[in-house]
């Protein structure tokens, strides 16, 4: 089975994340959207909320599973038998950051990183901008899936 992990903090899940998943679905038998938890990091949404947003967004998609993990992403991939890490690339800064991680992971494991370039109409979206808008009571309806708006 061709299984990929799509790791992230998803605080919250956005239409940019969804675009990468929707386009990754035909490439894999299963995509596990894995919410990484870091106890020293402060999140706007709880782990349960972040998980629920993603589960609701993909209710009718049998290829998608949502999980949470702590520690290194490659250790998590080995635990669930995934040979691929799926990531989205928005801009050169993402590329430089992802390149270092992918090279490091390749040294430490056989896991292959697969990168999808974002769609032009969602490439500007980031969870941090969504959080800023929400903190200031702005409208994020064009940036996040319906499940996040319904919270
Ligand atoms: P992290 O905390 O690991 O950066 P994020 O939740 O911010 O996690 O992002 C997870 C993945 O989604 C990363 O590969 C990131 O590049 C990708 N991503 C984030 N925003 C977008 C977007 N607007 N379009 C496509 N991919 C995105």
């Amino acid at each position: 089975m061709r299984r990929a992990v799509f790791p992230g903090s998803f605080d919250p899940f956005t239409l940019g994340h969804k675009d990468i998943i929707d386009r990754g679905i035909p490439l894999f038998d299963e995509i596990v959207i894995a919410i990484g938890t870091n106890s020293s990091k402060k999140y706007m949404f709880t782990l349960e909320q972040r998980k629920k947003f993603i589960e609701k967004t993909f209710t009718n998609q049998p290829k998608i599973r949502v999980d949470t993990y702590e520690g290194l992403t490659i250790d998590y991939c080995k635990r669930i038998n995934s040979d691929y890490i799926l990531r989205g690339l928005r801009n050169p800064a993402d590329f430089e950051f992802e390149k270092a991680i992918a090279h490091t992971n390749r040294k430490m494991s056989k896991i292959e990183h697969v990168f999808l370039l974002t769609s032009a109409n969602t490439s500007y979206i980031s969870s941090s901008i969504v959080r800023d808008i929400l903190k200031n009571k702005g409208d994020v309806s064009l940036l996040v899936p319906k499940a996040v708006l319904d919270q």
Side-chain angles (χ1 to χ4, degrees):
M1 175 190 259
R2 203 182 280 261
R3 175 183 291 126
V5 166
F6 184 58
S9 28
F10 309 116
D11 187 31
F13 195 75
T14 69
L15 290 178
H17 296 131
K18 183 171 182 297
D19 170 67
I20 297 294
I21 297 291
D22 287 341
R23 289 172 34 236
I25 284 172
L27 307 178
F28 297 100
D29 299 310
E30 181 177 70
I31 299 178
V32 181
I33 304 176
I35 312 173
T37 56
N38 178 343
S39 48
S40 62
K41 220 171 143 182
K42 278 220 148 235
Y43 298 102
M44 176 176 243
F45 294 98
T46 65
L47 190 55
E48 291 68 32
Q49 285 175 311
R50 285 180 279 151
K51 192 160 183 261
K52 197 176 278 173
F53 294 154
I54 305 172
E55 282 168 348
K56 273 183 150 181
T57 303
F58 294 104
T59 355
N60 295 317
Q61 181 46 262
K63 283 189 174 184
I64 298 297
R65 193 150 64 81
V66 189
D67 197 8
T68 62
Y69 73 103
E70 272 183 74
L72 293 179
T73 306
I74 51 168
D75 290 341
Y76 173 74
C77 290
K78 285 177 197 158
R79 272 204 305 282
I80 68 156
N81 260 321
S82 169
D83 294 327
Y84 304 95
I85 291 177
L86 175 64
R87 297 286 285 177
L89 292 179
R90 285 168 288 188
N91 49 45
D94 271 358
F95 173 74
E96 289 300 332
F97 180 74
E98 295 294 337
K99 186 170 79 146
I101 297 178
H103 279 150
T104 310
N105 284 347
R106 186 105 52 83
K107 271 263 181 260
M108 296 165 70
S109 72
K110 292 211 165 354
I111 291 162
E112 197 66 73
H113 284 235
V114 176
F115 300 105
L116 291 181
L117 203 58
T118 61
S119 299
N121 58 344
T122 54
S123 66
Y124 64 92
I125 302 176
S126 76
S127 294
S128 61
I129 292 177
V130 168
R131 289 197 299 275
D132 274 348
I133 298 173
L134 287 172
K135 274 182 206 151
N136 292 291
K137 313 239 175 296
D139 178 8
V140 293
S141 54
L142 296 176
L143 309 176
V144 298
K146 193 172 171 301
V148 178
L149 299 172
D150 292 346
Q151 50 155 317

